[in-house]
Amino acid sequence: IVHNAQIEFPGYLSKSENIKFSDIPDGFKGIFAVPKAGLFQILLFVGLIELAWWPANNYSGDYGCGFFGKSYEGAEKVKKLNAEMANGRLAQLGIMGALFAEGQTGQTLAQQFET
């Protein structure tokens, strides 16, 4: 999302393969330009977070960290957790819609907004 907004890190993504961050194309085609070792590092990091910090068997959405440091109890807590689940689902639908539209038109989301 950051890369599609034309915000790029300076320097190299992979110095050994001479790939700069600016060489990665926008949209979902950019994932194919990332070296395999980089994709492995991303998957390893996400797996570490899933296993170490956020247990996958906790389906309630309550990880004990509160909402910006504020804890809720009872009905208010249930309301906040349900809102978080609904917002996450809507975000997933929005991203999938953008990816589907990019696959159909060949234009990134930013390019679609320009036209």
Side-chain angles (χ1 to χ4, degrees):
I1 292 175
V2 171
H3 188 72
N4 285 341
Q6 306 302 320
I7 300 170
E8 297 171 349
F9 293 111
Y12 288 89
L13 175 66
S14 173
K15 199 155 186 143
S16 62
E17 295 187 31
N18 199 26
I19 300 174
K20 294 183 177 182
F21 284 101
S22 59
D23 297 336
I24 304 297
D26 290 343
F28 70 88
K29 294 177 184 173
I31 197 74
F32 301 109
V34 176
K36 287 183 176 63
L39 293 175
F40 178 73
Q41 288 175 352
I42 292 169
L43 291 175
L44 187 67
F45 179 70
V46 169
L48 177 68
I49 289 174
E50 285 288 332
L51 293 174
W53 285 288
W54 293 331
N57 61 354
N58 183 359
Y59 297 115
S60 69
D62 184 10
Y63 297 103
C65 56
F67 180 73
F68 291 106
K70 186 174 181 182
S71 296
Y72 294 98
E73 295 298 325
E76 186 70 17
K77 181 178 183 179
V78 171
K79 180 181 174 184
K80 294 286 185 185
L81 289 173
N82 286 338
E84 181 65 25
M85 295 288 277
N87 289 339
R89 290 178 181 138
L90 286 172
Q92 290 173 8
L93 283 173
I95 293 296
M96 291 309 296
L99 289 174
F100 182 78
E102 183 179 336
Q104 293 295 312
T105 64
Q107 296 178 325
T108 64
L109 188 59
Q111 292 169 336
Q112 292 174 32
F113 281 135
E114 290 173 359
T115 58

